[in-house]
């Protein structure tokens, strides 16, 4: 079984824009995947197919062996966490703890379990001491870490991050890189989009190169090595 499988996925927006063309790829469980490509390549569109926010116009997507359909895509979203590019789109509650608790409470966990799950998730991103603060009081990097905690609190098998390093200073980028390593040790399958080829080469064990909605290549990081 693979974590993610796309078979001949094509996606056309309502205005006729073909954002993905006939994409076929497999991501093994536990992989660290970097999705690279210029603006407009289709990266976000592809990521939205992996957590069932979008269903393909044609072709199919399977997550942990289960084919995504209109019926099961909401349930699949519990197995696949998406960290948005901009934490201000995601971290919107009055306090950090409330924000991280949102998903677990939706799952109707007992309040005791909610508190345990949230403490563990906030601890794993180094934000437990900030649990009672308001998100607007936090730095951008701290908000990003709260967004990641909110995803981890749902115990997903797969974590998707849309441009996790964007808009962070070098220290913030190092913190996120450390967190990504932690996710890897937890056994999560991680797929992130990035423009940073050097980061992709150093962190990923699989790279996917997209351009104009087409898959240029998918494989190990040797794809990124300049052979001149
Ligand atoms: P990336 O994340 O690589 O920048 P996107 O997946 O956001 O690429 O976009 C792929 C293509 O689809 C681009 O040409 C983009 O302009 C187009 N696109 C994205 N969202 C929409 C939409 N809602 N309606 C029409 N076209 C869209
Ligand atoms: P990203 O590359 O992270 O998806 P964008 O700035 O490309 O961010 O897109 C921001 C929003 O605008 C998204 O909701 C996307 O679906 C939408 N969008 C992008 N391109 C188009 C387009 N050509 N037509 C309509 N909506 C678009």
């Amino acid at each position: 079984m693979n974590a993610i499988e796309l078979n001949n996925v094509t996606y056309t927006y309502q205005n006729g824009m073909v954002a993905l063309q006939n994409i076929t790829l497999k991501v093994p469980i536990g992989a660290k995947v970097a999705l690279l490509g210029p603006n407009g390549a289709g990266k976000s569109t592809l990521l939205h197919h992996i957590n069932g926010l979008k269903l393909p116009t044609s072709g199919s997507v399977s997550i942990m062996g289960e084919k995504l359909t209109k019926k099961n895509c909401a349930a699949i979203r519990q197995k696949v966490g998406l960290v948005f590019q901009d934490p201000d789109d995601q971290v919107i509650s009055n306090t950090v703890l409330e924000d991280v608790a949102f998903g677990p409470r939706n799952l109707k966990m007992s309040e005791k379990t909610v508190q345990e799950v949230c403490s563990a998730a906030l601890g794993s991103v180094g934000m437990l001491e900030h649990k009672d603060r308001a998100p607007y009081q936090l730095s951008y990097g701290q908000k990003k870490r709260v967004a990641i905690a909110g995803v981890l609190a749902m115990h997903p098998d797969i974590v998707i991050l849309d441009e996790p390093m964007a808009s962070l200073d070098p220290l913030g980028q190092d913190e996120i890189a450390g967190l990504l390593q932690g996710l890897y040790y937890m056994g999560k399958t991680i797929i992130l989009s990035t423009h940073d080829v050097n980061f992709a080469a150093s962190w990923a064990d699989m790279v996917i190169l997209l351009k104009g909605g087409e898959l240029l290549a998918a494989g190990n990081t040797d794809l990124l090595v300049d052979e001149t």
Side-chain angles (χ1 to χ4, degrees), residues 27 40 43 56 76 102 105 109 119 127 136-137 144 152 156 173 182:
V27 173
K43 300 183 298 296
I76 294 282
F102 181 80
R105 282 190 182 136
M109 291 179 189
S119 294
M127 288 298 291
Y136 73 83
Q137 298 174 309
K144 262 202 131 120
L152 290 181
Q173 292 188 352

Side-chain angles (χ1 to χ4, degrees), residues 13-20 37-46 54 162-163 193 195 210:
Y13 281 100
Q14 273 175 1
N15 65 358
M17 176 73 208
V18 182
L20 297 175
N39 279 330
K43 300 183 298 296
S44 297
T45 306
L46 179 73
K54 290 188 169 74
D162 199 349
E163 299 270 359
S193 60
H195 285 103
L210 270 188

Side-chain angles (χ1 to χ4, degrees), residues 77-177:
R77 235 166 276 153
Q78 287 167 27
K79 296 186 191 175
V80 187
L82 172 63
V83 181
F84 296 179
Q85 180 169 346
D86 186 349
D88 289 328
D89 290 338
Q90 191 157 24
V91 181
I92 53 178
S93 300
N94 291 331
T95 70
V96 166
L97 181 62
E98 288 297 306
D99 206 84
V100 176
F102 181 80
R105 282 190 182 136
N106 257 348
L107 290 184
K108 309 262 186 276
M109 291 179 189
S110 73
E111 193 51 33
K112 180 163 176 280
T113 309
V114 168
Q115 295 298 326
E116 283 167 8
V117 161
C118 292
S119 294
L122 282 167
S124 69
V125 300
M127 288 298 291
L128 187 56
E129 65 189 288
H130 300 292
K131 70 181 170 56
D132 296 320
R133 294 179 70 191
Y136 73 83
Q137 298 174 309
L138 304 176
S139 71
Y140 188 83
Q142 288 174 322
K143 279 190 264 191
K144 262 202 131 120
R145 287 192 275 152
V146 172
I148 294 172
V151 161
L152 290 181
M154 302 296 280
H155 294 164
D157 297 319
I158 301 172
V159 179
I160 303 172
L161 303 101
D162 199 349
E163 299 270 359
M165 302 298 194
S167 316
L168 288 171
D169 59 19
L171 180 65
Q173 292 188 352
D174 283 351
E175 283 173 359
I176 297 293

